[in-house]
mmCIF file of all heavy atoms in Angstrom:
data_model
loop_
_atom_site.group_PDB
_atom_site.id
_atom_site.type_symbol
_atom_site.label_atom_id
_atom_site.label_comp_id
_atom_site.label_asym_id
_atom_site.label_seq_id
_atom_site.Cartn_x
_atom_site.Cartn_y
_atom_site.Cartn_z
ATOM 1 N N GLY A 1 36.493 37.974 6.042
ATOM 2 C CA GLY A 1 36.666 38.656 7.262
ATOM 3 C C GLY A 1 36.660 37.714 8.472
ATOM 4 O O GLY A 1 36.289 38.062 9.509
ATOM 5 N N MET A 2 37.232 36.539 8.212
ATOM 6 C CA MET A 2 37.269 35.509 9.236
ATOM 7 C C MET A 2 35.933 35.293 9.871
ATOM 8 O O MET A 2 35.743 35.325 11.120
ATOM 9 C CB MET A 2 38.321 35.882 10.325
ATOM 10 C CG MET A 2 39.735 36.049 9.846
ATOM 11 S SD MET A 2 40.320 34.489 9.143
ATOM 12 C CE MET A 2 41.988 34.970 8.571
ATOM 13 N N ARG A 3 34.932 35.056 8.974
ATOM 14 C CA ARG A 3 33.566 34.790 9.465
ATOM 15 C C ARG A 3 33.481 33.312 9.884
ATOM 16 O O ARG A 3 33.800 32.429 9.141
ATOM 17 C CB ARG A 3 32.551 35.092 8.319
ATOM 18 C CG ARG A 3 32.311 36.565 8.204
ATOM 19 C CD ARG A 3 31.503 36.959 6.990
ATOM 20 N NE ARG A 3 30.271 36.182 6.776
ATOM 21 C CZ ARG A 3 29.214 36.586 6.072
ATOM 22 N NH1 ARG A 3 29.242 37.784 5.451
ATOM 23 N NH2 ARG A 3 28.190 35.859 5.925
ATOM 24 N N ILE A 4 33.019 33.146 11.143
ATOM 25 C CA ILE A 4 33.017 31.747 11.759
ATOM 26 C C ILE A 4 31.576 31.330 11.905
ATOM 27 O O ILE A 4 30.720 32.142 12.312
ATOM 28 C CB ILE A 4 33.687 31.782 13.116
ATOM 29 C CG1 ILE A 4 35.155 32.247 12.932
ATOM 30 C CG2 ILE A 4 33.629 30.441 13.765
ATOM 31 C CD1 ILE A 4 35.819 32.685 14.240
ATOM 32 N N TYR A 5 31.241 30.124 11.495
ATOM 33 C CA TYR A 5 29.910 29.614 11.602
ATOM 34 C C TYR A 5 29.884 28.253 12.350
ATOM 35 O O TYR A 5 30.879 27.561 12.418
ATOM 36 C CB TYR A 5 29.180 29.527 10.266
ATOM 37 C CG TYR A 5 29.758 28.615 9.259
ATOM 38 C CD1 TYR A 5 29.375 27.265 9.116
ATOM 39 C CD2 TYR A 5 30.712 29.044 8.327
ATOM 40 C CE1 TYR A 5 29.895 26.460 8.163
ATOM 41 C CE2 TYR A 5 31.236 28.223 7.358
ATOM 42 C CZ TYR A 5 30.843 26.973 7.265
ATOM 43 O OH TYR A 5 31.350 26.101 6.289
ATOM 44 N N PRO A 6 28.763 27.843 12.903
ATOM 45 C CA PRO A 6 28.679 26.589 13.705
ATOM 46 C C PRO A 6 28.963 25.355 12.905
ATOM 47 O O PRO A 6 28.607 25.193 11.773
ATOM 48 C CB PRO A 6 27.253 26.609 14.256
ATOM 49 C CG PRO A 6 26.743 28.025 14.090
ATOM 50 C CD PRO A 6 27.438 28.546 12.884
ATOM 51 N N ALA A 7 29.502 24.363 13.607
ATOM 52 C CA ALA A 7 29.786 23.060 13.023
ATOM 53 C C ALA A 7 28.470 22.368 12.636
ATOM 54 O O ALA A 7 28.384 21.588 11.703
ATOM 55 C CB ALA A 7 30.540 22.168 13.976
ATOM 56 N N LEU A 8 27.379 22.726 13.333
ATOM 57 C CA LEU A 8 26.027 22.131 13.015
ATOM 58 C C LEU A 8 25.652 22.452 11.536
ATOM 59 O O LEU A 8 25.070 21.572 10.892
ATOM 60 C CB LEU A 8 24.956 22.672 13.962
ATOM 61 C CG LEU A 8 23.560 22.160 13.691
ATOM 62 C CD1 LEU A 8 23.482 20.596 13.874
ATOM 63 C CD2 LEU A 8 22.595 22.853 14.693
ATOM 64 N N TYR A 9 26.007 23.621 11.063
ATOM 65 C CA TYR A 9 25.711 23.967 9.706
ATOM 66 C C TYR A 9 26.309 23.005 8.705
ATOM 67 O O TYR A 9 25.728 22.492 7.750
ATOM 68 C CB TYR A 9 26.120 25.440 9.385
ATOM 69 C CG TYR A 9 25.624 25.940 8.110
ATOM 70 C CD1 TYR A 9 24.525 26.760 7.981
ATOM 71 C CD2 TYR A 9 26.309 25.674 6.896
ATOM 72 C CE1 TYR A 9 24.056 27.223 6.783
ATOM 73 C CE2 TYR A 9 25.877 26.201 5.683
ATOM 74 C CZ TYR A 9 24.739 26.923 5.608
ATOM 75 O OH TYR A 9 24.303 27.433 4.419
ATOM 76 N N LEU A 10 27.575 22.692 8.998
ATOM 77 C CA LEU A 10 28.330 21.794 8.091
ATOM 78 C C LEU A 10 27.738 20.362 8.217
ATOM 79 O O LEU A 10 27.659 19.654 7.227
ATOM 80 C CB LEU A 10 29.792 21.795 8.581
ATOM 81 C CG LEU A 10 30.821 21.287 7.582
ATOM 82 C CD1 LEU A 10 30.815 22.038 6.261
ATOM 83 C CD2 LEU A 10 32.258 21.372 8.192
ATOM 84 N N LYS A 11 27.372 20.035 9.387
ATOM 85 C CA LYS A 11 26.754 18.670 9.575
ATOM 86 C C LYS A 11 25.452 18.581 8.747
ATOM 87 O O LYS A 11 25.173 17.548 8.108
ATOM 88 C CB LYS A 11 26.517 18.431 11.029
ATOM 89 C CG LYS A 11 26.074 16.989 11.384
ATOM 90 C CD LYS A 11 25.801 16.841 12.843
ATOM 91 C CE LYS A 11 27.029 17.050 13.761
ATOM 92 N NZ LYS A 11 27.902 15.790 13.634
ATOM 93 N N LYS A 12 24.597 19.625 8.892
ATOM 94 C CA LYS A 12 23.384 19.697 8.093
ATOM 95 C C LYS A 12 23.634 19.589 6.594
ATOM 96 O O LYS A 12 22.902 18.991 5.795
ATOM 97 C CB LYS A 12 22.551 20.869 8.456
ATOM 98 C CG LYS A 12 21.888 20.831 9.846
ATOM 99 C CD LYS A 12 21.252 22.241 10.112
ATOM 100 C CE LYS A 12 20.347 22.200 11.367
ATOM 101 N NZ LYS A 12 19.080 21.603 11.173
ATOM 102 N N LEU A 13 24.677 20.273 6.147
ATOM 103 C CA LEU A 13 24.999 20.429 4.737
ATOM 104 C C LEU A 13 25.455 18.999 4.231
ATOM 105 O O LEU A 13 25.042 18.682 3.090
ATOM 106 C CB LEU A 13 26.149 21.406 4.531
ATOM 107 C CG LEU A 13 26.443 21.770 3.072
ATOM 108 C CD1 LEU A 13 25.176 22.312 2.362
ATOM 109 C CD2 LEU A 13 27.527 22.777 2.989
ATOM 110 N N ARG A 14 26.159 18.291 4.970
ATOM 111 C CA ARG A 14 26.568 16.939 4.585
ATOM 112 C C ARG A 14 25.319 16.037 4.342
ATOM 113 O O ARG A 14 25.217 15.401 3.298
ATOM 114 C CB ARG A 14 27.456 16.331 5.631
ATOM 115 C CG ARG A 14 27.843 14.808 5.430
ATOM 116 C CD ARG A 14 28.807 14.561 4.312
ATOM 117 N NE ARG A 14 28.162 14.468 2.971
ATOM 118 C CZ ARG A 14 28.820 14.244 1.869
ATOM 119 N NH1 ARG A 14 30.148 14.076 1.913
ATOM 120 N NH2 ARG A 14 28.195 14.159 0.789
ATOM 121 N N LYS A 15 24.366 16.162 5.222
ATOM 122 C CA LYS A 15 23.140 15.331 5.069
ATOM 123 C C LYS A 15 22.350 15.819 3.884
ATOM 124 O O LYS A 15 21.732 14.936 3.184
ATOM 125 C CB LYS A 15 22.342 15.514 6.384
ATOM 126 C CG LYS A 15 21.074 14.581 6.431
ATOM 127 C CD LYS A 15 20.371 14.679 7.768
ATOM 128 C CE LYS A 15 19.169 13.779 7.774
ATOM 129 N NZ LYS A 15 18.411 13.878 9.139
ATOM 130 N N LEU A 16 22.304 17.113 3.681
ATOM 131 C CA LEU A 16 21.517 17.653 2.568
ATOM 132 C C LEU A 16 22.127 17.232 1.235
ATOM 133 O O LEU A 16 21.405 16.798 0.286
ATOM 134 C CB LEU A 16 21.464 19.164 2.620
ATOM 135 C CG LEU A 16 20.562 19.888 1.659
ATOM 136 C CD1 LEU A 16 19.098 19.556 1.903
ATOM 137 C CD2 LEU A 16 20.744 21.429 1.769
ATOM 138 N N CYS A 17 23.469 17.224 1.111
ATOM 139 C CA CYS A 17 24.127 16.827 -0.097
ATOM 140 C C CYS A 17 23.795 15.341 -0.390
ATOM 141 O O CYS A 17 23.585 14.926 -1.501
ATOM 142 C CB CYS A 17 25.615 17.088 -0.007
ATOM 143 S SG CYS A 17 26.071 18.805 -0.174
ATOM 144 N N ASP A 18 23.915 14.532 0.636
ATOM 145 C CA ASP A 18 23.568 13.138 0.510
ATOM 146 C C ASP A 18 22.256 12.887 0.031
ATOM 147 O O ASP A 18 21.955 12.002 -0.857
ATOM 148 C CB ASP A 18 23.814 12.412 1.894
ATOM 149 C CG ASP A 18 25.255 12.243 2.286
ATOM 150 O OD1 ASP A 18 26.118 12.383 1.415
ATOM 151 O OD2 ASP A 18 25.551 12.076 3.491
ATOM 152 N N GLY A 19 21.261 13.653 0.524
ATOM 153 C CA GLY A 19 19.852 13.464 0.125
ATOM 154 C C GLY A 19 19.587 13.803 -1.318
ATOM 155 O O GLY A 19 18.723 13.214 -1.986
ATOM 156 N N TYR A 20 20.348 14.658 -1.904
ATOM 157 C CA TYR A 20 20.192 15.080 -3.310
ATOM 158 C C TYR A 20 21.240 14.469 -4.226
ATOM 159 O O TYR A 20 21.205 14.769 -5.461
ATOM 160 C CB TYR A 20 20.267 16.616 -3.399
ATOM 161 C CG TYR A 20 18.909 17.266 -3.039
ATOM 162 C CD1 TYR A 20 18.724 17.629 -1.671
ATOM 163 C CD2 TYR A 20 17.951 17.578 -3.962
ATOM 164 C CE1 TYR A 20 17.534 18.233 -1.295
ATOM 165 C CE2 TYR A 20 16.757 18.200 -3.568
ATOM 166 C CZ TYR A 20 16.573 18.517 -2.296
ATOM 167 O OH TYR A 20 15.388 19.166 -1.889
ATOM 168 N N GLY A 21 22.157 13.730 -3.710
ATOM 169 C CA GLY A 21 23.200 13.141 -4.620
ATOM 170 C C GLY A 21 24.225 14.122 -5.100
ATOM 171 O O GLY A 21 24.812 13.964 -6.171
ATOM 172 N N VAL A 22 24.392 15.205 -4.320
ATOM 173 C CA VAL A 22 25.322 16.263 -4.619
ATOM 174 C C VAL A 22 26.641 16.040 -3.878
ATOM 175 O O VAL A 22 26.615 15.725 -2.679
ATOM 176 C CB VAL A 22 24.753 17.676 -4.270
ATOM 177 C CG1 VAL A 22 25.752 18.785 -4.521
ATOM 178 C CG2 VAL A 22 23.484 17.941 -5.134
ATOM 179 N N LYS A 23 27.738 16.190 -4.571
ATOM 180 C CA LYS A 23 29.022 16.005 -3.915
ATOM 181 C C LYS A 23 29.368 17.220 -3.046
ATOM 182 O O LYS A 23 29.028 18.312 -3.417
ATOM 183 C CB LYS A 23 30.162 15.696 -4.907
ATOM 184 C CG LYS A 23 29.998 14.452 -5.731
ATOM 185 C CD LYS A 23 29.862 13.223 -4.835
ATOM 186 C CE LYS A 23 29.699 11.894 -5.602
ATOM 187 N NZ LYS A 23 29.460 10.776 -4.713
ATOM 188 N N LEU A 24 30.101 16.969 -1.966
ATOM 189 C CA LEU A 24 30.480 18.049 -1.021
ATOM 190 C C LEU A 24 31.925 18.208 -1.108
ATOM 191 O O LEU A 24 32.731 17.280 -0.840
ATOM 192 C CB LEU A 24 30.032 17.718 0.376
ATOM 193 C CG LEU A 24 30.435 18.799 1.451
ATOM 194 C CD1 LEU A 24 29.857 20.105 1.133
ATOM 195 C CD2 LEU A 24 30.050 18.291 2.807
ATOM 196 N N ILE A 25 32.414 19.369 -1.494
ATOM 197 C CA ILE A 25 33.836 19.729 -1.580
ATOM 198 C C ILE A 25 34.171 20.641 -0.358
ATOM 199 O O ILE A 25 33.570 21.697 -0.221
ATOM 200 C CB ILE A 25 34.170 20.481 -2.875
ATOM 201 C CG1 ILE A 25 33.769 19.715 -4.093
ATOM 202 C CG2 ILE A 25 35.709 20.835 -2.888
ATOM 203 C CD1 ILE A 25 33.840 20.433 -5.390
ATOM 204 N N ALA A 26 35.131 20.140 0.506
ATOM 205 C CA ALA A 26 35.557 21.002 1.556
ATOM 206 C C ALA A 26 36.903 21.658 1.216
ATOM 207 O O ALA A 26 37.870 20.937 0.969
ATOM 208 C CB ALA A 26 35.738 20.135 2.835
ATOM 209 N N ASP A 27 36.866 22.956 1.105
ATOM 210 C CA ASP A 27 38.102 23.681 0.822
ATOM 211 C C ASP A 27 38.805 24.011 2.116
ATOM 212 O O ASP A 27 38.545 24.969 2.803
ATOM 213 C CB ASP A 27 37.709 24.989 0.079
ATOM 214 C CG ASP A 27 38.929 25.903 -0.155
ATOM 215 O OD1 ASP A 27 40.060 25.568 0.243
ATOM 216 O OD2 ASP A 27 38.726 26.935 -0.817
ATOM 217 N N GLU A 28 39.762 23.096 2.490
ATOM 218 C CA GLU A 28 40.430 23.242 3.731
ATOM 219 C C GLU A 28 41.862 23.830 3.537
ATOM 220 O O GLU A 28 42.776 23.698 4.283
ATOM 221 C CB GLU A 28 40.576 21.842 4.427
ATOM 222 C CG GLU A 28 39.331 21.288 4.898
ATOM 223 C CD GLU A 28 39.220 21.252 6.496
ATOM 224 O OE1 GLU A 28 40.046 21.910 7.127
ATOM 225 O OE2 GLU A 28 38.387 20.496 6.984
ATOM 226 N N ILE A 29 42.027 24.629 2.411
ATOM 227 C CA ILE A 29 43.261 25.207 2.097
ATOM 228 C C ILE A 29 43.739 26.135 3.217
ATOM 229 O O ILE A 29 44.887 26.111 3.634
ATOM 230 C CB ILE A 29 43.225 25.947 0.787
ATOM 231 C CG1 ILE A 29 43.061 24.914 -0.336
ATOM 232 C CG2 ILE A 29 44.409 26.845 0.539
ATOM 233 C CD1 ILE A 29 42.558 25.506 -1.704
ATOM 234 N N ALA A 30 42.796 26.975 3.772
ATOM 235 C CA ALA A 30 43.131 27.885 4.832
ATOM 236 C C ALA A 30 42.875 27.298 6.187
ATOM 237 O O ALA A 30 43.503 27.772 7.239
ATOM 238 C CB ALA A 30 42.387 29.190 4.668
ATOM 239 N N THR A 31 42.003 26.328 6.279
ATOM 240 C CA THR A 31 41.574 25.827 7.650
ATOM 241 C C THR A 31 42.341 24.560 8.102
ATOM 242 O O THR A 31 42.295 24.160 9.204
ATOM 243 C CB THR A 31 40.055 25.522 7.621
ATOM 244 O OG1 THR A 31 39.820 24.546 6.587
ATOM 245 C CG2 THR A 31 39.299 26.791 7.364
ATOM 246 N N GLY A 32 43.022 23.930 7.157
ATOM 247 C CA GLY A 32 43.712 22.702 7.425
ATOM 248 C C GLY A 32 44.963 22.807 8.318
ATOM 249 O O GLY A 32 45.515 23.945 8.511
ATOM 250 N N PHE A 33 45.414 21.693 8.844
ATOM 251 C CA PHE A 33 46.656 21.535 9.603
ATOM 252 C C PHE A 33 46.674 22.428 10.863
ATOM 253 O O PHE A 33 47.632 23.005 11.167
ATOM 254 C CB PHE A 33 47.839 21.852 8.679
ATOM 255 C CG PHE A 33 47.941 20.870 7.546
ATOM 256 C CD1 PHE A 33 47.405 21.150 6.303
ATOM 257 C CD2 PHE A 33 48.462 19.613 7.778
ATOM 258 C CE1 PHE A 33 47.426 20.212 5.263
ATOM 259 C CE2 PHE A 33 48.451 18.689 6.721
ATOM 260 C CZ PHE A 33 48.020 18.969 5.525
ATOM 261 N N GLY A 34 45.492 22.378 11.569
ATOM 262 C CA GLY A 34 45.450 22.951 12.856
ATOM 263 C C GLY A 34 45.057 24.343 13.009
ATOM 264 O O GLY A 34 44.922 24.861 14.155
ATOM 265 N N ARG A 35 44.754 25.029 11.974
ATOM 266 C CA ARG A 35 44.349 26.489 12.057
ATOM 267 C C ARG A 35 43.067 26.694 12.933
ATOM 268 O O ARG A 35 43.009 27.729 13.599
ATOM 269 C CB ARG A 35 44.167 27.035 10.676
ATOM 270 C CG ARG A 35 45.451 27.251 9.864
ATOM 271 C CD ARG A 35 46.396 28.272 10.573
ATOM 272 N NE ARG A 35 47.553 28.571 9.768
ATOM 273 C CZ ARG A 35 48.538 29.318 10.159
ATOM 274 N NH1 ARG A 35 48.506 29.778 11.423
ATOM 275 N NH2 ARG A 35 49.583 29.591 9.358
ATOM 276 N N THR A 36 42.194 25.789 12.830
ATOM 277 C CA THR A 36 40.914 25.903 13.587
ATOM 278 C C THR A 36 40.895 25.199 14.950
ATOM 279 O O THR A 36 39.858 25.109 15.594
ATOM 280 C CB THR A 36 39.690 25.425 12.711
ATOM 281 O OG1 THR A 36 39.772 24.027 12.578
ATOM 282 C CG2 THR A 36 39.652 26.162 11.388
ATOM 283 N N GLY A 37 42.048 24.652 15.317
ATOM 284 C CA GLY A 37 42.129 23.939 16.600
ATOM 285 C C GLY A 37 42.151 22.499 16.510
ATOM 286 O O GLY A 37 42.619 21.748 17.360
ATOM 287 N N THR A 38 41.657 21.920 15.371
ATOM 288 C CA THR A 38 41.787 20.517 15.042
ATOM 289 C C THR A 38 42.543 20.386 13.747
ATOM 290 O O THR A 38 42.690 21.400 12.991
ATOM 291 C CB THR A 38 40.396 19.821 14.891
ATOM 292 O OG1 THR A 38 39.595 20.655 13.984
ATOM 293 C CG2 THR A 38 39.670 19.710 16.220
ATOM 294 N N LEU A 39 43.092 19.250 13.458
ATOM 295 C CA LEU A 39 43.956 19.133 12.273
ATOM 296 C C LEU A 39 43.184 19.573 11.009
ATOM 297 O O LEU A 39 43.745 20.280 10.231
ATOM 298 C CB LEU A 39 44.404 17.647 12.088
ATOM 299 C CG LEU A 39 45.544 17.468 11.077
ATOM 300 C CD1 LEU A 39 46.775 18.288 11.504
ATOM 301 C CD2 LEU A 39 45.918 16.009 10.930
ATOM 302 N N PHE A 40 41.852 19.181 10.899
ATOM 303 C CA PHE A 40 41.062 19.635 9.833
ATOM 304 C C PHE A 40 39.738 20.117 10.414
ATOM 305 O O PHE A 40 39.236 19.534 11.369
ATOM 306 C CB PHE A 40 40.777 18.567 8.802
ATOM 307 C CG PHE A 40 42.071 18.004 8.221
ATOM 308 C CD1 PHE A 40 42.519 16.740 8.578
ATOM 309 C CD2 PHE A 40 42.864 18.758 7.364
ATOM 310 C CE1 PHE A 40 43.673 16.222 8.018
ATOM 311 C CE2 PHE A 40 44.012 18.271 6.806
ATOM 312 C CZ PHE A 40 44.472 17.013 7.189
ATOM 313 N N ALA A 41 39.169 21.201 9.843
ATOM 314 C CA ALA A 41 37.922 21.799 10.381
ATOM 315 C C ALA A 41 36.818 20.820 10.362
ATOM 316 O O ALA A 41 35.923 20.817 11.181
ATOM 317 C CB ALA A 41 37.627 23.054 9.608
ATOM 318 N N CYS A 42 36.778 19.931 9.294
ATOM 319 C CA CYS A 42 35.701 18.982 9.144
ATOM 320 C C CYS A 42 35.552 18.067 10.352
ATOM 321 O O CYS A 42 34.447 17.584 10.671
ATOM 322 C CB CYS A 42 35.881 18.115 7.912
ATOM 323 S SG CYS A 42 35.519 19.008 6.342
ATOM 324 N N GLU A 43 36.636 17.881 11.059
ATOM 325 C CA GLU A 43 36.597 16.982 12.262
ATOM 326 C C GLU A 43 35.570 17.496 13.294
ATOM 327 O O GLU A 43 34.934 16.725 14.012
ATOM 328 C CB GLU A 43 37.969 16.916 12.917
ATOM 329 C CG GLU A 43 39.018 16.233 12.085
ATOM 330 C CD GLU A 43 40.383 16.279 12.811
ATOM 331 O OE1 GLU A 43 40.478 16.217 13.983
ATOM 332 O OE2 GLU A 43 41.387 16.542 12.061
ATOM 333 N N GLN A 44 35.440 18.821 13.461
ATOM 334 C CA GLN A 44 34.577 19.449 14.459
ATOM 335 C C GLN A 44 33.143 19.210 14.140
ATOM 336 O O GLN A 44 32.290 19.333 15.035
ATOM 337 C CB GLN A 44 34.935 20.904 14.535
ATOM 338 C CG GLN A 44 36.354 21.192 15.045
ATOM 339 C CD GLN A 44 36.691 22.635 15.187
ATOM 340 O OE1 GLN A 44 35.856 23.384 15.710
ATOM 341 N NE2 GLN A 44 37.869 23.025 14.762
ATOM 342 N N ALA A 45 32.828 18.909 12.863
ATOM 343 C CA ALA A 45 31.449 18.587 12.540
ATOM 344 C C ALA A 45 31.255 17.072 12.398
ATOM 345 O O ALA A 45 30.109 16.610 12.215
ATOM 346 C CB ALA A 45 31.065 19.258 11.226
ATOM 347 N N GLY A 46 32.318 16.322 12.491
ATOM 348 C CA GLY A 46 32.216 14.909 12.408
ATOM 349 C C GLY A 46 31.772 14.372 11.057
ATOM 350 O O GLY A 46 31.115 13.366 10.885
ATOM 351 N N ILE A 47 32.173 15.103 9.951
ATOM 352 C CA ILE A 47 31.762 14.690 8.626
ATOM 353 C C ILE A 47 32.949 14.392 7.703
ATOM 354 O O ILE A 47 34.099 14.895 8.012
ATOM 355 C CB ILE A 47 30.919 15.811 7.976
ATOM 356 C CG1 ILE A 47 31.704 17.124 7.772
ATOM 357 C CG2 ILE A 47 29.674 16.112 8.788
ATOM 358 C CD1 ILE A 47 31.854 17.538 6.355
#
């Protein structure tokens, strides 16, 4: 339902994955190529 959440959540998640040695997969199929205002949504979290 086009649920939008803060970039801070994504930033925290990157750090949490690093701490546990878990890989982070970003599914940018729907968000990529400018849909969220930047070329990729991950840019807005700096991760």
